[in-house]
């Protein structure tokens, strides 16, 4: 059950992160980061790893976008 919740949190975060790849919308990644961390924690509490791994991939996408944009833009 926690794995399913982690995947849902990851999908919600992904919905925020994908539009944030557009220039001048990078600030939305800062809104997604706390959700992603919550998803990772919930996924770590689960007996399966797929939810946690999915949230880690979403975190990687958000982090790369923030790095390319200088952290703000």
């Amino acid at each position: 059950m926690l794995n399913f919740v982690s995947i849902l949190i990851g999908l919600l975060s992904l919905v925020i992160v994908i539009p944030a790849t557009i220039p001048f919308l990078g600030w939305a990644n800062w809104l997604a980061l706390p959700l992603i961390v919550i998803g990772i924690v919930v996924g770590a509490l689960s007996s399966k790893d797929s939810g946690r791994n999915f949230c880690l991939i979403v975190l990687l996408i958000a982090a790369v976008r923030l790095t390319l944009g200088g952290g703000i833009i």
Side-chain angles (χ1 to χ4, degrees), residues 6-41:
S6 177
I7 291 173
L8 285 178
I9 293 171
L11 285 173
L12 177 66
S13 299
L14 189 62
V15 168
I16 296 171
V17 168
I18 287 177
T21 59
I22 299 171
F24 300 111
L25 292 178
W27 54 267
N29 282 318
W30 290 107
L31 298 175
L33 287 177
L35 282 174
I36 297 169
V37 171
I38 291 171
I40 291 170
V41 170

